[in-house]
């Protein structure tokens, strides 16, 4: 059992006994109370009770022995004979040993008692032998007077000596006289400490013990007088204690060793006694008000104000050394809190707002706040000192090296004292954590604040919400270590306490929205700065076309550098505000709807930044895309680019096939909302054959001659024709090329032709063509044998010959031969025109094929294209 636990149990017993005493129910509840305390304390409590019992018996024996040393009076003066009776020890009791130079007292039965004459009685010693002096009346009276005078001298303080001590403290001493050698200073301090300890013991111990009287039997005037007397006792004691405190400060004002002044146990014990007197005043008021059935409110009385002011020196004494006097501070706070609980057992008064400025609750809260503030400041100083004593050493190459640890005494953690106070204090206002929050503002003290808050909200549940709000506030701190630490603690409790999710989500949304607004504002300022660069009028205008061109290029480079720098700053700032929000989204993906709502209507710069900062979050969902599908299905209109980015990040890993549930959800979403092929480009390897044929026109429709759509179409072609582990490709390259000539695809003939060009130009990582010439050979052979010959087939042959010149000649000749045999001139005119163009490009190598064409058809073909007639003729 720790000392603090022993004190708490002792104070609990005192409160219970006091309440039972004042209500005259001691006999009815003493057994229950003892049983409860035995169950609470256990074996240690039982040993403590046994020790207290032995201590009381020892004191009684010692007092009886001291009374036996007083010289006897004459029969006419001594009063009843039984008043001088010293009881004999009971069976089993040990006799107390006399002090050096004293004689053992004589034990005898009480006068008038029934004594068995046959019982052996201890022999009586002569009086002169017992006292060691003459037993005459004059000598005994002189000895008694001398004894009383010696005891009186120890408890009286001479007012003249007090004035001399105070005046000596106010005298200004020259600096030269203060320069005393260390040994002499230490010797003087020891002598002064011994002297002041003796004076405090005599003066502060002279106050008689406080007795709590039953208020029910008193008259109103007697109650009031009793209460005023209790207050005057506090004021008298505080006046004496103030002298000793100031005197002790003066003695230790010069400290050459830099160590704190030695503690005075006597002074601290009397401080506890003084605070007990203050608490007793409130108990007297409570009992007096209870007896008259009045509320226990003292108002702003002058006496109560004076009583509060007289204990300020005790508070300041504790605040000056919070670590050394921590146990004393706890005892004082528990004394005050006992009075609070006793006067208001159900705590009907709101602890945060006492009903009076001079109530015991207000006094406790003020002491608690000041002591906690001193502890926090002390811990901050300690943390700063520890950070300064272990600096990193810069080596020659510029790297930082931490010095090796020496075999010194391990340093005390700065957070230990604050956590001890939070754990041990009887009551703490949640608002006091604001003092710890100040530590999070500086990177040097942020570890202290995080360590305190992380543990405090666990060991003290009533302050959990306040501590959580502080962590949520600093979850958007510019300092990365502080921000990460706060978020880590928040996420720790997010999974274990689902009821706190709305509170956390609200704070995270607030941070994200504030970051988006700030980024949008900075983006607008960036565009203004870029515009000012191009609108700037140079002092010296460039002369000549070359000079003008160089000036324009210089401004472009300046604008590009400014835009790059500002965008990086905007992205870094938005990432700070969005970090907590994104971490919570990983656990509760439905929060991502807030990002979609904020995304709509933002500038292009900020939208690009948002699409970039969500990358780690979405990639982490690749294995479990089902959690994000509900959010993806309901994205608002105008946020298509963000939805496309999410689909892309879920499927960006080309080494794996997208989840079937994701593919099906996106396909359904495309059908329901008529979305373009940007959503399908990365889902090709997760589709089925029929789905690829169905979505191929949508993919080809994206092409518009620019590089972006061509890249997406190329990605789709790659995924469709790639084989994976235990899964063949959806389509072979030949099947894909043939599928590009389907009627549904060739409706947009120009885009279909562009798709074939993209297909033929696709390359591997080493720069070689992805699809070999045989793919075109097989595809053209299949297309030529179909009943309906598309015009795109002849254009594909032309593209094939451009990309594989020489290798493609044989396949193209075979295609022309097949078309001649099928009498292409009898087919559509568009097909014949394409045939003539392809035939002309094959001349003169294709001249042998002319013999297969009738002469009249040759003349017709020559009229259609004059360039074809000259070589043939």
């Amino acid at each position: 059992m720790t000392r603090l636990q022993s004190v708490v149990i002792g104070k609990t017993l005192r409160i219970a006994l006091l309440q039972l005493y004042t209500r005259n129910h001691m006999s009815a509840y003493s057994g229950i109370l003892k049983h409860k305390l035995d169950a609470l304390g256990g074996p240690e409590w039982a040993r403590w009770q046994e020790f207290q019992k032995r201590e009381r018996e020892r004191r009684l024996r010692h007092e009886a022995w001291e009374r036996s040393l007083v010289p006897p009076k004459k029969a006419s003066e001594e009063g009843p004979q039984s008043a001088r009776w010293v009881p004999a020890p009971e069976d089993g009791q040990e006799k107390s040993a006399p002090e050096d130079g004293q004689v053992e007292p004589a034990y005898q039965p009480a006068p008038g008692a029934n004594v068995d004459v046959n019982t052996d009685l201890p022999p009586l010693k002569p009086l002169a032998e017992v006292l060691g002096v003459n037993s005459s009346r004059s000598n005994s009276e002189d000895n008694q007077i001398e004894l009383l005078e010696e005891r009186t001298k120890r408890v009286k303080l001479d007012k003249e000596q007090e004035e001399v001590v105070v005046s000596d403290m106010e005298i200004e001493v020259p600096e030269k006289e203060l320069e005393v050698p260390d040994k002499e200073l230490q010797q003087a301090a020891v002598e002064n400490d011994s002297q002041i300890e003796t004076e405090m013991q005599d003066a502060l111990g002279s106050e008689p013990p406080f007795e709590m009287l039953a208020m029910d039997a008193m008259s109103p005037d007697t109650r009031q007088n009793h209460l005023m007397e209790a207050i005057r006792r506090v004021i008298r004691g505080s006046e004496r204690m103030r002298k000793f405190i100031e005197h002790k400060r003066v003695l230790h004002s010069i400290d050459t060793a830099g160590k704190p002044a030695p503690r005075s146990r006597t002074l601290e014990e009397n401080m506890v006694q003084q605070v007990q007197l203050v608490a007793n005043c409130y108990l007297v008021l409570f009992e007096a008000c209870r007896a008259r059935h009045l509320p226990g409110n003292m108002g702003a009385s002058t006496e109560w104000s004076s009583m509060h002011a007289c204990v300020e020196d005790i508070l300041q004494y504790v605040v000056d050394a919070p670590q050394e006097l921590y146990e004393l501070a706890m005892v004082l706070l528990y004394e005050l809190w006992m009075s609070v609980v006793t006067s208001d057992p159900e705590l009907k008064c709101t602890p945060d707002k006492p009903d009076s400025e001079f109530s015991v609750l207000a006094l406790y809260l003020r002491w608690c706040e000041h002591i906690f503030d001193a502890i926090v400041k002390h811990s901050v100083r300690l943390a700063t000192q520890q950070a300064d004593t272990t600096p990193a050493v810069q080596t020659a190459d510029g790297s930082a090296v931490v010095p090796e640890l020496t075999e010194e005494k391990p340093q005390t953690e700065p957070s230990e004292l604050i956590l001890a106070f939070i754990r041990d204090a009887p009551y703490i206002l949640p608002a006091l954590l604001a003092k710890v929050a100040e530590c999070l503002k500086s990177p040097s003290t942020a570890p202290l604040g995080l360590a305190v808050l992380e543990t405090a909200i666990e060991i003290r549940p009533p302050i959990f919400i306040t501590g959580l709000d502080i962590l949520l506030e600093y979850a958007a701190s510019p300092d990365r270590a502080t921000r990460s630490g706060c978020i880590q603690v928040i996420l720790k409790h997010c999974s274990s306490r689902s009821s706190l999710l709305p509170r956390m989500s609200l704070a995270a949304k607030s941070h994200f929205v504030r970051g988006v607004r700030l980024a949008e504002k900075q983006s607008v300022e960036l565009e203004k700065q870029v515009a000012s660069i191009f609108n700037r009028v140079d002092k010296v205008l460039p002369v000549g076309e070359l000079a003008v061109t160089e000036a324009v290029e210089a401004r472009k480079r300046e604008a590009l550098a400014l835009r790059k720098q500002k965008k990086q700053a905007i992205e870094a700032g938005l990432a700070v505000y969005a970090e907590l929000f994104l971490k919570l989204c990983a656990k509760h993906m439905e929060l991502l709807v807030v990002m979609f709502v904020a995304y709509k209507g933002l500038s292009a710069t900020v939208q690009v930044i948002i699409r970039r900062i969500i990358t780690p979050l979405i990639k982490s969902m690749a294995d479990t895309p089902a959690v994000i599908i509900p959010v993806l299905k309901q994205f608002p209109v105008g946020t298509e680019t963000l939805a496309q980015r999410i689909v892309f990040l879920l499927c960006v890993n080309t080494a794996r096939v997208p989840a079937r549930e994701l593919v099906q959800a996106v396909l359904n979403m495309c059908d329901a909302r008529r979305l373009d092929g940007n959503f399908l480009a990365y889902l090709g390897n997760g589709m089925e054959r029929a789905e690829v044929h169905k979505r191929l026109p949508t993919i080809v429709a994206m092409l518009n001659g620019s590089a972006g759509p061509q890249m997406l179409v190329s990605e789709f072609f790659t995924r469709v024709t790639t084989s994976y582990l235990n899964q063949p490709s959806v389509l072979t390259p030949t099947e894909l090329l043939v599928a590009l000539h389907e009627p549904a695809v060739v409706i947009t003939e120009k885009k279909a032709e562009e798709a074939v060009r993209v297909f033929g130009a696709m390359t591997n990582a080493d720069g070689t063509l992805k699809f070999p010439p045989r793919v075109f050979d097989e595809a053209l052979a299949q297309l030529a044998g179909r009943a309906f010959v598309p015009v795109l087939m002849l254009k594909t042959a032309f593209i094939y010959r451009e990309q594989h010149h020489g290798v493609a000649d044989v396949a193209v000749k075979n295609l022309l031969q097949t078309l001649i045999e099928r009498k292409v001139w009898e087919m559509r005119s568009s097909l014949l025109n394409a045939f003539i163009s392809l035939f002309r490009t094959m001349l003169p190598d294709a001249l042998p094929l002319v013999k297969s064409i009738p002469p009249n058809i040759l003349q017709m073909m020559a009229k259609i294209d004059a360039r074809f007639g000259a070589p043939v003729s």
Side-chain angles (χ1 to χ4, degrees):
M1 180 183 296
T2 64
R3 179 179 178 183
L4 182 59
Q5 291 173 338
S6 302
V7 172
V8 173
I9 293 177
K11 302 308 179 185
T12 305
L13 177 61
R14 289 175 52 192
I15 292 176
L17 294 178
L18 178 61
Q19 292 177 341
L20 294 174
Y21 171 75
T22 53
R23 290 163 178 77
N24 299 319
H25 295 308
M26 175 64 76
S27 60
Y29 292 99
S30 58
I32 299 176
L33 177 62
K34 183 177 183 303
H35 175 73
K36 293 293 183 182
L37 290 176
D38 290 342
L40 175 65
E44 295 185 3
W45 170 253
R47 287 195 296 270
W48 181 81
Q49 287 181 311
E50 184 66 24
F51 171 76
Q52 293 295 326
K53 179 180 178 181
R54 292 196 304 269
E55 188 68 16
R56 287 193 300 269
E57 293 174 353
R58 187 194 64 79
R59 286 199 299 267
L60 290 175
R61 291 195 301 270
H62 188 73
E63 291 174 0
W65 174 70
E66 286 184 340
R67 287 195 300 270
S68 67
L69 297 180
V70 179
K73 297 182 180 181
K74 288 186 175 182
S76 59
E77 300 176 353
E78 59 188 3
Q81 185 178 6
S82 60
R84 295 184 287 108
W85 168 64
V86 179
E90 298 178 0
D91 295 341
Q93 274 190 335
E94 297 180 359
K95 296 182 180 180
S96 59
E99 299 179 0
D100 296 339
Q102 303 292 342
V103 296
E104 183 179 0
Y107 293 92
Q108 51 186 321
N114 295 326
V115 181
D116 187 359
V117 295
N118 297 323
T119 305
D120 294 335
L121 298 176
L124 297 177
K125 296 181 180 180
L127 183 62
E129 182 180 352
V130 172
L131 298 177
V133 294
N134 192 355
S135 60
S136 63
R137 178 187 175 191
S138 58
N139 289 339
S140 62
E141 290 180 352
D142 293 339
N143 292 336
Q144 185 175 7
I145 293 174
E146 291 176 0
L147 180 62
L148 293 176
E149 287 179 352
E150 290 176 359
R151 292 185 177 180
T152 305
K153 288 180 182 179
R154 292 198 300 267
V155 298
K156 288 186 178 180
L157 290 175
D158 191 359
K159 294 184 178 180
E160 295 180 358
Q161 293 180 357
E162 294 177 2
E163 295 176 357
V164 170
V165 172
V166 174
S167 61
D168 290 343
M169 290 190 294
E170 297 177 353
I171 297 176
E172 297 183 358
V173 182
E175 295 182 358
K176 293 183 179 180
E177 297 184 6
L178 295 178
E179 297 177 358
V180 184
D182 294 345
K183 294 183 179 180
E184 297 181 4
L185 183 62
Q186 295 177 359
Q187 183 65 25
V190 171
E191 296 176 357
N192 289 330
D193 284 344
S194 302
Q195 181 180 1
I196 195 172
E197 289 286 335
T198 304
E199 293 177 1
M200 283 189 295
Q201 291 176 358
D202 295 341
L204 298 177
S206 63
E207 192 72 32
F210 176 81
E211 295 182 2
M212 183 68 183
L213 303 179
M215 293 292 175
D216 295 339
M218 293 184 182
S219 64
D221 294 338
T222 306
R223 294 192 194 100
Q224 185 65 21
N225 294 336
H226 189 66
L227 181 60
M228 292 298 103
E229 177 60 25
I231 296 177
R232 285 192 289 270
R233 287 165 58 89
V234 176
I235 297 176
R236 288 197 305 268
S238 65
E239 292 174 352
R240 293 192 298 267
M241 187 174 295
R242 187 179 295 111
K243 295 179 183 179
F244 296 126
I245 293 175
E246 294 298 331
H247 188 48
K248 190 172 183 62
R249 287 174 180 169
V250 171
L251 290 177
H252 299 285
S253 59
I254 305 173
D255 190 3
T256 56
K259 300 179 179 179
R263 296 174 59 180
S264 172
R265 181 60 60 183
T266 303
L267 178 60
E268 294 177 9
E269 292 175 354
N270 284 276
M271 286 181 178
V272 176
Q273 179 184 1
Q274 189 72 12
V275 174
Q276 289 175 346
L277 292 177
V278 174
N280 291 336
C281 290
Y282 285 102
L283 296 180
V284 171
L285 172 68
F286 168 69
E287 290 297 328
C289 294
R290 186 187 61 82
R292 292 182 296 170
H293 304 286
L294 296 176
N297 189 352
M298 71 295 296
S301 174
T302 304
E303 292 81 3
W304 293 98
S305 177
S306 302
M307 187 181 69
H308 276 226
C310 71
V311 291
E312 286 299 309
D313 291 314
I314 301 178
L315 175 61
Q316 189 60 41
Y317 180 81
V318 175
V319 166
D320 289 343
Q323 185 175 13
E324 293 78 9
L325 302 178
Y326 172 75
E327 294 184 0
L328 173 63
M330 282 293 105
V331 173
L332 297 179
L333 288 178
Y334 269 93
E335 291 288 349
L336 293 176
W337 187 250
M338 279 173 38
S339 182
V340 173
V341 176
T342 305
S343 59
D344 187 9
E346 299 179 0
L347 287 180
K348 297 178 181 178
C349 299
T350 305
D352 298 352
K353 297 180 181 179
D355 54 357
S356 174
E357 180 183 358
F358 301 106
S359 65
V360 65
L361 179 57
L363 181 63
Y364 170 83
L365 294 179
R366 185 173 183 278
W367 279 48
C368 186
E369 179 180 0
H370 281 67
I371 294 174
F372 186 71
D373 183 60
I375 288 176
V376 172
K377 291 180 179 178
H378 171 79
S379 300
V380 169
R381 289 194 298 268
L382 183 61
T384 305
Q385 292 174 0
Q386 291 184 2
D388 294 341
T389 53
T390 56
V393 180
Q394 294 291 337
T395 59
D397 58 354
S399 59
V401 179
V402 179
E404 296 183 359
L405 297 177
T406 58
E407 295 183 359
E408 297 179 356
K409 184 178 180 180
Q411 295 179 336
T412 303
E413 289 295 332
S415 61
E416 289 182 0
L417 190 59
I418 304 178
L419 291 175
F421 183 89
I422 294 176
R423 180 182 60 251
D424 299 337
Y427 175 77
I428 293 180
L429 276 177
L432 291 183
L433 287 183
K435 301 181 182 298
V436 180
E438 295 294 324
C439 300
L440 300 178
K441 294 182 178 180
S442 173
S444 59
T445 57
L448 170 63
L450 286 173
V452 170
L453 290 173
E454 181 178 5
T455 308
I457 61 179
E458 294 181 356
I459 65 176
R460 199 91 184 194
I463 64 174
F464 182 87
I465 296 299
T466 303
L468 179 63
D469 290 340
I470 294 174
L471 292 170
L472 290 172
E473 179 183 356
Y474 285 91
S477 172
D479 181 61
R480 181 176 181 83
T482 303
R483 183 174 67 256
S484 300
C486 292
I487 293 176
Q488 183 178 2
V489 178
I490 293 170
L491 296 179
K492 175 182 176 182
H493 296 282
C494 177
S495 56
S496 60
R497 303 191 181 189
S498 58
S499 59
L500 298 174
L501 179 60
R503 195 181 199 93
M504 298 178 181
S505 302
L506 183 62
K509 293 175 187 177
S510 177
H511 287 320
F512 176 71
V513 172
R514 185 164 67 251
V516 168
R517 291 176 180 174
L518 179 61
E520 187 69 13
K521 181 180 178 181
Q522 294 174 345
S523 177
V524 173
E525 294 177 354
L526 171 61
E527 297 302 327
K528 292 181 179 179
Q529 294 176 0
V530 172
S532 64
I533 293 176
F534 291 101
N535 297 333
R536 185 177 58 210
V537 178
D538 296 333
K539 295 181 179 180
V540 180
L541 297 177
V543 179
E545 182 178 355
L546 181 59
V548 172
T549 303
E550 292 180 354
V552 172
E553 292 297 329
R555 293 191 179 188
K556 288 182 178 179
R557 290 192 296 271
E558 181 182 357
L560 183 62
L562 177 64
R563 190 181 295 276
K564 181 179 179 181
Q565 178 185 0
K566 293 295 184 180
K567 281 185 177 181
Q568 291 177 351
I570 295 173
E571 181 176 354
L574 183 55
V576 168
Y577 286 100
E579 184 171 353
L580 174 62
F581 178 78
L582 295 175
K583 292 294 179 62
L584 287 180
C585 286
K587 297 180 176 293
H588 304 277
M589 190 56 63
E590 63 273 10
L591 297 177
L592 200 61
V593 177
V594 177
M595 178 174 289
F596 278 99
V597 175
Y599 183 87
K600 184 179 180 180
L602 295 177
S603 62
T605 301
V606 181
Q607 287 184 346
V608 171
I609 293 175
I610 290 180
R611 294 199 297 269
R612 188 179 293 118
I613 64 175
I614 67 170
T615 299
L617 170 65
I618 305 303
K619 283 186 175 181
S620 65
M621 300 288 108
D623 295 332
T624 56
V627 297
I628 200 174
I629 288 176
V631 179
L632 196 60
K633 288 181 178 179
Q634 55 181 346
F635 71 88
V637 178
T639 61
E640 288 78 8
T641 53
L642 181 58
Q644 293 169 11
R645 177 69 175 177
I646 293 176
V647 174
F648 160 73
L649 293 173
L650 292 174
C651 308
V652 68
N653 189 0
T654 58
R656 58 190 305 174
V657 178
R660 181 59 195 174
E661 52 187 345
L662 174 64
V663 175
Q664 190 62 51
V666 175
L667 293 178
N668 296 338
M669 186 171 59
C670 291
D671 293 337
R673 306 180 64 166
R674 297 182 179 180
L675 303 177
D676 57 20
N678 290 281
F679 289 87
L680 306 173
Y682 293 89
L683 299 175
N685 50 344
M687 295 182 185
E688 298 178 356
R689 292 176 61 89
E691 292 173 343
V692 172
H693 285 283
K694 181 179 179 180
R695 308 294 172 175
L696 196 56
T698 307
I699 295 293
V700 174
M702 290 191 300
L703 296 171
N704 56 6
S706 58
Q710 290 178 1
M711 183 190 67
L712 293 176
V713 172
S714 176
E715 180 68 22
F716 181 81
F717 291 166
T718 301
R719 288 175 176 264
V720 167
T721 57
T722 301
S723 300
Y724 297 89
L725 183 63
N726 299 327
Q727 179 176 341
S729 61
V730 181
L731 296 177
T732 63
T734 302
E735 292 174 340
L736 176 59
L737 184 56
V738 172
L740 290 176
H741 294 77
E742 296 292 339
V745 178
V746 298
I747 292 178
T748 55
E749 188 173 339
K750 291 184 178 180
K751 293 187 176 183
E753 182 181 352
E754 185 178 357
V756 174
R757 290 186 178 274
V758 170
F759 179 89
M762 291 171 59
T763 58
N764 296 312
D766 57 359
T768 60
L769 290 174
K770 188 174 186 63
F771 303 119
R774 63 177 178 81
V775 174
F776 283 88
D777 295 343
E778 296 172 358
L780 291 175
Q782 294 182 21
L783 291 172
R786 288 190 174 185
F788 178 81
V789 180
V791 178
L792 180 61
M793 180 190 65
L794 298 175
K795 295 184 178 181
T796 300
F798 183 81
I799 295 171
Y800 177 35
R801 190 170 182 275
E802 285 183 347
Q803 296 176 348
H804 302 275
H805 188 70
V807 179
D809 290 348
V810 177
V812 174
K813 287 180 181 180
N814 293 335
L815 175 62
L816 293 176
Q817 180 65 38
T818 302
L819 291 177
I820 292 173
E821 293 175 356
R822 296 188 58 181
K823 299 181 180 181
V824 66
W825 50 86
E826 295 180 359
M827 298 181 184
R828 303 181 309 279
S829 58
S830 57
L831 183 61
L832 178 59
N833 294 335
F835 174 81
I836 296 172
S837 299
L838 179 61
F839 199 100
R840 177 176 53 82
T841 59
M842 290 295 295
L843 295 175
D845 296 337
L847 283 178
L849 297 177
V850 175
K851 298 178 181 180
S852 303
I853 302 175
N856 58 334
I857 300 301
L858 288 176
Q859 293 177 2
M860 181 186 64
M861 294 171 61
K863 291 179 182 179
I864 295 174
D865 190 350
R867 293 174 298 176
F868 174 77
V872 172
S873 62

